[in-house]
Amino acid sequence: MQQAFGLYTHIQANRRRSIFLIGALFFLVYLLVFAGALLAEAAFDDASASWLIARAWERTLNAIPMATVLALVWIALAYKYHQRMIDALTGGHPVARAENPRLYNLLENLCISRGVPMPSLKVMTSSALNAFATGLNERQYAITVTTGLLESLDDAELEAVLAHELTHIRNGDVRMMIVAVVIAGAISFFAEMFFRGRFLWDQGGRSSRSQRSTSDGSGKGSGGAAIAIVFGVLIIALAWGLSIVIRYALSRSREYLADAGSVELTKNPDAMITALRKIENRGELPGATSAVMELCVDNPRSGFADLFATHPSVDARIQALIAFAGGIDPGPLPPPSEAPQHQQSRVAPP
């Protein structure tokens, strides 16, 4: 758990990371353009590897303006419509004070106590226990909670979760994560497009190459196409992998800091601890992508041997809370498989 004086450093670091991620997006897009050009050259010209690479580099330089425009368009669309896309995935819908005065008042009190603008409130119908914040600026910030969370947590626990998400917004974590998700989405899209295109190039290119090799006699050399194709595929895989690593390499300390920020706002470490215990193993959102799960207060999904886990374990977070602010840990609750009343209860749509 970082000390309070580290919060400002964390916010500044998030700003630098966001700028770095934007730069990384353009770099990875250019890398994919080069790989695509290399695959295209290899598909249509059975020349030496050095000639194909030089030719692909030339085409990449010519394509950079168009690739830059496409990347900017992608960012603009994500900036404007990312909330709608997330709502479409999760089914979240906005709620006003009259529809859910309990939820609205809890968040409003927290915002008033800190003098911060109140984010939009959204509710998604799900028996899962989870919540997440989204948005890139004050006009877009929103906090979404599940109906399962509303039914399972008492007021103090629900306030603690709202304070956790509000701290993510104040610390700039939400903006940084959205930027990371946008990058991963763009790279995955282009990488998949190139991979699919490679087979088309393979099929169409072989016949074209055979025709060229017998007709033009260019003397460029031969045998380099296979090397270039392997090289191009490796570059695409590298770019794809880097986009994932970037997303997962974002500091997990943001969850510790958000937990600490929740305690700072509510002065109630027990509420945050019991909320985490209730959410533990019950936060899986059906139909949500991994990108959405990374935004949640708890993400039960983890990668290979937890290497790519985006959240610290609930146990680690609770131990940090106890060390930082005291409180009592009630201990793990029975898993959903042993508590069908928690797992199986479905919440009727409002």
Side-chain angles (χ1 to χ4, degrees):
M1 179 73 67
Q2 298 188 23
Q3 300 298 318
F5 62 79
L7 291 176
Y8 182 75
T9 302
H10 179 71
I11 294 171
Q12 293 300 316
N14 277 344
R15 289 174 180 166
R16 289 193 295 271
R17 285 193 192 106
S18 297
I19 295 172
F20 169 78
L21 289 173
I22 294 293
L25 168 62
F26 286 96
F27 171 75
L28 292 176
V29 167
Y30 299 150
L31 200 60
L32 286 175
V33 170
F34 174 74
L38 188 57
L39 289 176
E41 290 296 335
F44 293 104
D45 283 298
D46 190 12
S48 67
S50 59
W51 186 91
L52 292 171
I53 291 174
R55 183 70 173 164
W57 176 247
E58 180 183 341
R59 290 188 180 278
T60 300
L61 293 178
N62 293 331
I64 279 180
M66 180 60 71
T68 303
V69 170
L70 289 176
L72 289 173
V73 169
W74 183 282
I75 291 173
L77 291 176
Y79 179 85
K80 189 172 180 61
Y81 297 111
H82 74 274
Q83 185 63 58
R84 293 185 187 180
M85 289 187 281
I86 291 173
D87 288 344
L89 282 172
T90 63
H93 61 276
V95 292
R97 185 196 301 274
E99 297 172 73
N100 200 319
R102 174 195 177 213
L103 179 64
Y104 197 96
N105 290 338
L106 286 173
L107 181 60
E108 186 181 53
N109 290 338
L110 288 170
C111 293
I112 291 174
S113 70
R114 285 295 166 176
V116 297
M118 182 166 166
S120 300
L121 264 174
K122 295 176 183 287
V123 170
M124 62 175 288
T125 303
S126 170
S127 59
L129 276 57
N130 226 325
F132 58 90
T134 51
L136 290 168
N137 55 53
E138 289 185 356
R139 290 177 299 174
Q140 297 179 336
Y141 288 139
I143 294 177
T144 302
V145 301
T146 64
T147 48
L149 192 78
L150 289 173
E151 292 197 340
S152 300
L153 303 191
D154 61 30
D155 284 359
E157 294 160 350
L158 184 58
E159 182 183 47
V161 172
L162 292 173
H164 174 99
E165 298 304 329
L166 192 61
T167 302
H168 272 318
I169 291 174
R170 295 174 64 204
N171 289 355
D173 297 331
V174 174
R175 180 175 56 245
M176 182 189 64
M177 289 301 295
I178 291 293
V179 170
V181 167
V182 168
I183 290 173
I187 301 305
S188 297
F189 173 79
F190 286 112
E192 185 172 350
M193 185 178 69
F194 284 133
F195 269 121
R196 291 177 184 275
R198 182 180 74 85
F199 296 106
L200 295 178
W201 291 331
D202 249 3
Q203 293 169 0
R206 289 184 190 286
S207 59
S208 175
R209 271 202 311 271
S210 62
Q211 292 172 3
R212 287 186 177 206
S213 62
T214 56
S215 60
D216 60 13
S218 61
K220 296 168 187 168
S222 60
I227 298 174
I229 288 175
V230 171
F231 190 41
V233 171
L234 287 177
I235 291 176
I236 293 174
L238 174 65
W240 199 349
L242 281 176
S243 71
I244 296 174
V245 168
I246 286 174
R247 203 169 74 191
Y248 287 123
L250 299 177
S251 173
R252 294 187 214 175
S253 64
R254 67 182 186 276
E255 295 303 327
Y256 291 119
L257 290 170
D259 291 341
S262 172
V263 174
E264 181 193 9
L265 287 171
T266 63
K267 314 299 182 189
N268 190 349
D270 287 342
M272 189 68 224
I273 291 172
T274 54
L276 284 173
R277 283 303 185 197
K278 288 184 177 180
I279 293 171
E280 186 179 21
N281 298 321
R282 297 168 180 81
E284 180 70 29
L285 299 179
T289 64
S290 59
V292 173
M293 292 304 302
E294 289 162 19
L295 300 171
C296 291
V297 65
D298 183 44
N299 180 9
R301 300 176 188 174
S302 59
F304 174 70
D306 291 340
L307 182 62
F308 297 128
T310 59
H311 287 55
S313 69
V314 167
D315 280 334
R317 292 167 66 178
I318 288 177
Q319 290 308 312
L321 276 171
I322 293 173
F324 171 75
I328 299 174
D329 178 13
L333 299 174
S337 58
E338 298 176 15
Q341 68 276 17
H342 291 287
Q343 185 186 32
Q344 301 299 332
S345 63
R346 304 297 298 180
V347 179

